[in-house]
Amino acid sequence: MIMLIYRGIALFISLVVVHCMFQEEEFWKQASATMVIIPLVMRVLLIK
Amino acid sequence: MPAIVEWFFPEGLYTIAMIGVFAVGAFTIKFPVSIAMAFAAIAGALIGGAGFPLRHLVEGMFGYLDTILVIATAMIFMKTAESTGLLEGLAAWIIRKFRKKPAFLSMGLMFIIMVPGMITGSSTAAVLTTGALVAPVLLQLGVCPHRAAAAIAMGAIFGMIAPPVNLPAMIIGGGIDMPYSGFGIPLIICTLPLAIFTAFLFIYPPLKKGDFSESGLEAELKRMEREPLSFRLFIPLLVLIVLFAVERVFPSHWPSLGMPLIFLLAAASALFSGVKWHPLQTVISAINDALPVMGILMGVGMFIQIMTLIGVRGFVTVSAIALPKWLLYVGIGVSIPLFGAVSAFGSASVLGVPFVLALLGHNEIIVASALSLIAGLGDLMPPTALAGIFSAKVVGEDNYLKVLRCCIFPAILTALWGIAIILLANKLAVFLF
Amino acid sequence: MHKMNIKGTRKTAIFLLTVALLVMYVTGRNFLAMRQPDVVIPADGFEKRMLSDWFQGIHNTPADTPVFIQEGQEPGGTVLILGGTHPNEPAGYIAAVLFLERAQVQKGRLIVIPFANNTAFTHNSPQEGYPQYIRFLLPDGSVRTFRYGSRDTNPVYQWPDPDIYVHEPSGQRLAGSEMRNLNRAYPGQPHGVITQRIAFAILELIRKEDIDLAFDLHEASPEYPVVNAIVAHEKSLELGAMAAMDLEGRGIPFRLEPSPRNLRGLSHREWGDHTDVMAILMETGNPIQGRLRGRTNEALALTGKDKFYQKAAKLGSLFIPYEDDQPIALRTARHVTAIMTFLEMLGFISEEKSVIVNNIPDYNDIIDKGIEAFLLSIS
């Protein structure tokens, strides 16, 4: 149960980060946000 | 080959190459720190003959997955408390109540900064919660922004190290199979005198001088009190405190919710605070503010994984413990905080554990406590500087280096205090245990 | 140099997200490949069962792991060999596999669990730079591959870690990630998290199968004081002393450490406290686990040859004799020979509980010919 909640939290934060990426006007800051998204999504999907 | 050359090649060269690529990336090309770290990691892997190890780069980031969740959610909580007017209202109340008692107010504010760190074991949590609460108070009371940020950063670190929860000490203990018990009093000895000293160094002087205009202050207080302090306004803070306290007091009877969930529940409870605010915008602005640090941690994760992979970590560690005895203490005082540039927790694990082992014969609990104190200083070291960068942020200072300059004196004192405690470990042990 | 200013647009964001997906796909396949179990070839006479046969609470979970049982012609005692409590300590599970692939039990029963924490074999700990596999090239040219895993349960099956791990039932506090450490989870909790349930299942097996003597095989970093050591519960201390003395006489020194009473959750403490078994934990010195190691790769896991450990040895910082290397054959040979010595001593203490196992290579054989000479070929 707690794991499901945390996957939800990770998903929620990933989505907000994606949103922020689209608002961001500097490429390298978008790239930095991409780095944050990768582990969050892989944990949501229970790959790693 | 002379021994020193053999020692240095090739790992020493890799070390310089990784740091060099990072420095050029961050300072010359002015990439974000996260990207500069990532490039340094990739360069290290290429030079170190590991090719382009995508798996290692991604795996390294996972070391900080839990940390970025804490940072993101703590930021959401803080922004919520700001949006509802709770932070400023509470700060104004504290100033009104205690401004005639500067010594008490200085120490009280320092204690307030420390509390979340004591409970969560995270300096970031301290800076982003009560640090942010105290920041406007300090500024209003005439503490200049850099010194205010320095006080918050140092207080947050002392909070992180103070009992009951000290993660670096637990990490060091985990490395030598030492249970986390009996640390309470040693950790108080480590932190309390330094916290009081720092309060008197940064907060007390302007308060004593009363160097603020009464009318200006009054106007500012009025502005800060735009939302009257009602019970409902306090709901998020109460939820936060209660959830943390219950988890710590009844660990066997209450499920561990974890910091991220607690921060989110507390933030969500602000929906019942009876004030109009925009939850979605608040969340987006919180994540936007937290993103640079979250990115830095991902870059640091890659960096550590690659430095471990190509032998740089071993080079750094063994170079540190190879120091002659008289230099060992200098090595502790310098290398642990410096390594904290990648992370205080990483430093506790990578260097803290070998140093405890190098110091066998001294009381291990006291040594580990003191090493955890010194490891805490890592949170001041750029580029990560979790405590420092966020403290600068909460006082509205963009240039962290100005804050760092103010921290140098108390930080050196902290390192010296830690070393003194190690030297006196056995004498203290007779006294304590 | 100029600031490399590239404008961020929706298009660049979509591009970066595509790159992210590609990275996740490529690395995801790599990570998921580690969930394929290792192939083992049990010697004749072993019956394969699953750990969930003793505790249903792990049935149909990734934690369920094979248990191999061989009964000899003559009645005797029962011995358990547990490898893979920590899948980053390969000599532990390779020693268990060696028993599994070679043992001919003459008297009593032998139970082997080669991969105790199965879920910890499916990933690597972040920031350690560990290899994912170790390989042995057999004389016939075929290759045996084993996963090199993590000390802790895969967080994919147990997440998040609490801030503090409060051990049940003692209330001892440890760093939160230790909650995924099987060797801090004993005696286990039937309704707990997956690691606690594995621990509970192993204890159920020890109770229900009436195990007399049980080994938990580990490795430790060479700078850690409890290394090249036998850790014994009070109930097994006498046997441990006999074995250690005999091994010492044969030039294979082991430190004998009594299991500390205040360190909870470990096999050598809780197995002994909660069942009648004589619990033994053994450690060999494994440089790739240590914090002083240099370049981290498969070769280091297999040879233990490391420049920085050579330096540290000269500084007197290590607790094992370390000259140039610490090969896995030596580390495994120590485990295997110590177990055989214990079996011999068990016979001295009690004839009816004695267990006789044949066809196990001796110390010098393993060191001289290497592990590859004693693993069975898959082809």
Side-chain angles (χ1 to χ4, degrees):
Chain A
M1 180 63 192
I2 190 88
M3 190 150 144
L4 207 62
I5 294 171
Y6 268 78
R7 286 169 70 191
I9 294 175
L11 179 65
F12 171 63
I13 293 174
S14 326
L15 291 176
V16 182
V17 173
V18 170
H19 176 89
C20 292
M21 247 179 104
F22 279 92
Q23 307 290 312
E24 178 57 59
E25 290 179 356
E26 274 188 47
F27 174 77
W28 291 110
K29 288 191 180 163
Q30 287 182 326
S32 174
T34 313
M35 282 162 56
V36 174
I37 292 169
I38 291 173
L40 284 172
V41 171
M42 291 182 91
R43 180 56 55 86
V44 173
L45 298 176
L46 296 186
I47 293 171
K48 170 83 181 171
Chain B
M1 249 194 299
I4 186 89
V5 177
E6 203 176 338
W7 174 245
F8 190 78
F9 283 99
E11 289 82 359
L13 210 64
Y14 299 161
T15 313
I16 292 172
M18 287 181 80
I19 294 173
V21 170
F22 168 72
V24 170
F27 305 124
T28 313
I29 312 183
K30 296 203 185 331
F31 283 134
V33 171
S34 50
I35 299 293
M37 283 298 234
F39 277 127
I42 293 168
L46 288 173
I47 298 166
F52 185 79
L54 198 56
R55 167 227 151 187
H56 284 294
L57 295 170
V58 172
E59 190 171 279
M61 297 199 283
F62 277 87
Y64 293 119
L65 182 67
D66 293 343
T67 318
I68 62 170
L69 287 183
V70 173
I71 290 174
T73 52
M75 196 60 126
I76 291 171
F77 171 77
M78 192 202 93
K79 285 279 173 184
T80 306
E82 208 178 275
S83 300
T84 60
L86 169 65
L87 273 187
E88 289 191 322
L90 198 56
W93 180 83
I94 294 171
I95 300 180
R96 285 194 191 285
K97 189 89 182 162
F98 296 108
R99 65 202 239 213
K100 298 279 182 275
K101 301 168 188 156
F104 186 78
L105 183 53
S106 312
M107 289 193 289
L109 289 174
M110 182 51 82
F111 182 71
I112 293 174
I113 297 169
M114 287 170 66
V115 168
M118 294 161 65
I119 298 169
T120 63
S122 150
S123 64
T124 316
V127 173
L128 290 183
T129 53
T130 54
L133 172 82
V134 167
V137 181
L138 293 176
L139 297 180
Q140 278 315 310
L141 289 171
V143 182
C144 79
H146 311 150
R147 292 165 72 87
I152 293 168
M154 294 307 297
I157 289 172
F158 297 142
M160 165 170 96
I161 301 306
V165 176
N166 174 330
L167 297 176
M170 286 187 190
I171 290 169
I172 295 172
I176 59 167
D177 279 350
M178 176 168 60
Y180 182 71
S181 61
F183 277 80
I185 293 170
L187 289 174
I188 289 176
I189 296 174
C190 284
T191 50
L192 191 62
L194 290 168
I196 293 174
F197 176 83
T198 309
F200 277 90
L201 178 72
F202 289 131
I203 307 176
Y204 182 73
L207 262 62
K208 178 74 180 157
K209 265 211 314 230
D211 211 6
F212 42 86
S213 91
E214 282 289 339
S215 59
L217 178 65
E218 192 50 44
E220 184 61 23
L221 286 178
K222 279 264 165 1
R223 188 194 64 75
M224 290 164 73
E225 287 163 334
R226 67 179 156 51
E227 283 304 331
L229 286 183
S230 62
F231 171 76
R232 290 178 66 185
L233 199 60
F234 273 97
I235 289 176
L237 196 60
L238 288 177
V239 169
L240 186 77
I241 294 170
V242 167
L243 288 179
F244 269 129
V246 173
E247 186 165 331
R248 292 296 180 259
V249 178
F250 308 106
S252 319
H253 302 92
W254 182 261
S256 169
L257 300 179
M259 280 194 261
L261 183 53
I262 291 178
F263 278 125
L264 281 187
L265 289 174
S269 70
L271 292 170
F272 306 102
S273 61
V275 183
K276 251 188 134 167
W277 61 292
H278 302 285
L280 198 61
Q281 273 169 17
T282 306
V283 168
I284 290 170
S285 105
I287 297 296
N288 231 335
D289 277 10
L291 253 180
V293 176
M294 290 159 73
I296 289 173
L297 284 172
M298 294 303 99
V300 171
M302 292 181 184
F303 190 89
I304 296 188
Q305 177 108 1
I306 300 299
M307 69 185 273
T308 308
L309 184 71
I310 63 172
V312 165
R313 192 176 100 173
F315 172 76
V316 172
T317 311
V318 179
S319 299
I321 64 161
L323 295 169
K325 200 79 186 170
W326 60 275
L327 256 178
L328 182 67
Y329 295 98
V330 182
I332 289 172
V334 175
S335 66
I336 295 183
L338 275 185
F339 196 89
V342 289
S343 107
F345 296 162
S347 185
S349 166
V350 172
L351 288 171
V353 175
F355 277 129
V356 177
L357 293 171
L359 287 164
L360 283 181
H362 296 65
N363 180 287
E364 286 154 26
I365 292 178
I366 296 176
V367 169
S369 304
L371 289 173
S372 74
L373 174 67
I374 299 171
L377 290 177
D379 277 353
L380 292 175
M381 282 298 296
T384 46
L386 287 182
I389 288 177
F390 281 123
S391 318
K393 222 175 200 87
V394 296
V395 302
E397 169 63 63
D398 283 335
N399 187 351
Y400 166 57
L401 293 180
K402 290 184 183 158
V403 177
L404 180 62
R405 214 172 295 148
C406 291
C407 291
I408 287 176
F409 175 57
I412 290 176
L413 203 72
T414 302
L416 291 177
W417 184 246
I419 291 168
I421 290 173
I422 295 173
L423 286 169
L424 294 172
N426 285 347
K427 294 204 173 96
L428 281 171
V430 174
F431 192 66
L432 291 180
F433 302 108
Chain C
M1 211 183 288
H2 282 294
K3 187 169 169 173
M4 275 173 68
N5 237 338
I6 304 176
K7 202 167 150 37
T9 61
R10 293 178 68 88
K11 276 187 190 151
T12 55
I14 291 169
F15 165 74
L16 285 167
L17 284 176
T18 314
V19 173
L21 282 176
L22 204 66
V23 169
M24 285 189 261
Y25 177 76
V26 172
T27 55
R29 279 175 64 104
N30 172 292
F31 293 136
L32 292 175
M34 285 192 76
R35 297 190 195 171
Q36 281 301 319
D38 294 327
V39 177
V40 288
I41 307 151
D44 288 344
F46 271 111
E47 174 203 2
K48 180 183 171 187
R49 294 178 60 185
M50 293 303 280
L51 186 57
S52 56
D53 293 350
W54 287 270
F55 172 56
Q56 274 295 310
I58 57 166
H59 185 60
N60 270 337
T61 72
D64 205 0
T65 189
V67 176
F68 298 92
I69 304 178
Q70 189 182 152
E71 193 150 7
Q73 294 288 324
E74 308 163 38
T78 305
V79 167
L80 168 68
I81 299 175
L82 197 71
T85 293
H86 294 151
N88 60 334
E89 303 172 4
Y93 57 83
I94 294 294
V97 168
L98 222 62
F99 272 93
L100 177 64
E101 303 202 349
R102 302 204 65 89
Q104 291 305 322
V105 181
Q106 177 187 331
K107 182 172 185 207
R109 278 196 314 164
L110 176 65
I111 302 182
V112 180
I113 306 178
F115 311 114
N117 189 351
N118 217 356
T119 73
F121 277 89
T122 60
H123 75 128
N124 293 104
S125 306
Q127 301 180 358
E128 293 290 350
Y130 283 143
Q132 291 174 307
Y133 301 95
I134 53 173
R135 280 162 296 195
F136 298 93
L137 179 63
L138 269 47
D140 68 353
S142 65
V143 175
R144 289 291 302 271
T145 303
F146 296 92
R147 288 168 296 172
Y148 183 97
S150 163
R151 179 182 173 84
D152 300 318
T153 298
N154 192 337
V156 161
Y157 307 120
Q158 185 178 318
W159 187 60
D161 292 335
D163 300 324
I164 305 165
Y165 165 38
V166 181
H167 172 256
E168 296 285 335
S170 72
Q172 171 183 275
R173 295 163 143 224
L174 291 162
S177 63
E178 292 287 322
M179 195 160 188
R180 285 184 289 119
N181 179 350
L182 176 57
N183 204 27
R184 297 295 178 279
Y186 296 110
Q189 298 292 319
H191 302 293
V193 291
I194 197 86
T195 315
Q196 290 173 319
R197 280 183 280 153
I198 302 170
F200 185 79
I202 290 170
L203 231 73
E204 282 291 282
L205 179 142
I206 293 174
R207 277 189 279 258
K208 289 176 182 163
E209 295 304 317
D210 223 350
I211 310 271
D212 297 299
L213 174 61
F215 299 93
D216 186 12
L217 304 181
H218 286 257
E219 299 202 85
S221 52
E223 71 273 23
Y224 178 61
V226 185
V227 63
N228 275 359
I230 293 169
V231 189
H233 189 268
E234 297 87 84
K235 290 175 189 161
S236 45
L237 203 53
E238 187 191 348
L239 189 68
M242 290 164 66
M245 259 166 52
D246 189 85
L247 286 161
E248 180 90 43
R250 294 160 58 188
I252 312 170
F254 273 88
R255 258 178 220 101
L256 178 66
E257 309 261 353
S259 163
R261 280 176 200 274
N262 63 350
L263 195 51
R264 309 306 307 200
L266 289 100
S267 54
H268 52 72
R269 169 53 39 203
E270 310 294 348
W271 289 0
D273 280 6
H274 292 269
T275 72
D276 295 328
V277 79
M278 289 191 276
I280 296 289
L281 179 146
M282 293 196 291
E283 303 268 12
T284 52
N286 178 20
I288 198 174
Q289 264 178 276
R291 286 172 170 75
L292 313 184
R293 70 176 186 273
R295 181 176 282 274
T296 303
N297 52 23
E298 182 187 357
L300 179 58
L302 293 175
T303 64
K305 190 176 166 81
D306 184 273
K307 167 181 169 183
F308 297 110
Y309 272 103
Q310 286 166 12
K311 169 93 172 171
K314 288 194 192 109
L315 291 169
S317 308
L318 305 186
F319 290 85
I320 58 168
Y322 184 92
E323 286 182 2
D324 273 332
D325 53 11
Q326 198 73 191
I328 194 161
L330 166 72
R331 285 139 51 196
T332 308
R334 289 182 65 91
H335 278 316
V336 170
T337 311
I339 291 173
M340 292 305 284
T341 309
F342 266 102
L343 297 189
E344 207 179 312
M345 298 302 140
L346 184 64
F348 289 142
I349 287 186
S350 158
E351 174 61 32
E352 59 173 317
K353 283 187 179 172
S354 79
V355 173
I356 299 175
V357 177
N358 299 318
N359 198 34
I360 300 299
D362 81 1
Y363 185 72
N364 290 322
D365 254 10
I366 300 176
I367 291 175
D368 293 344
K369 296 182 185 150
I371 304 294
E372 47 275 23
F374 301 100
L375 290 171
L376 298 178
S377 170
I378 298 179
S379 56

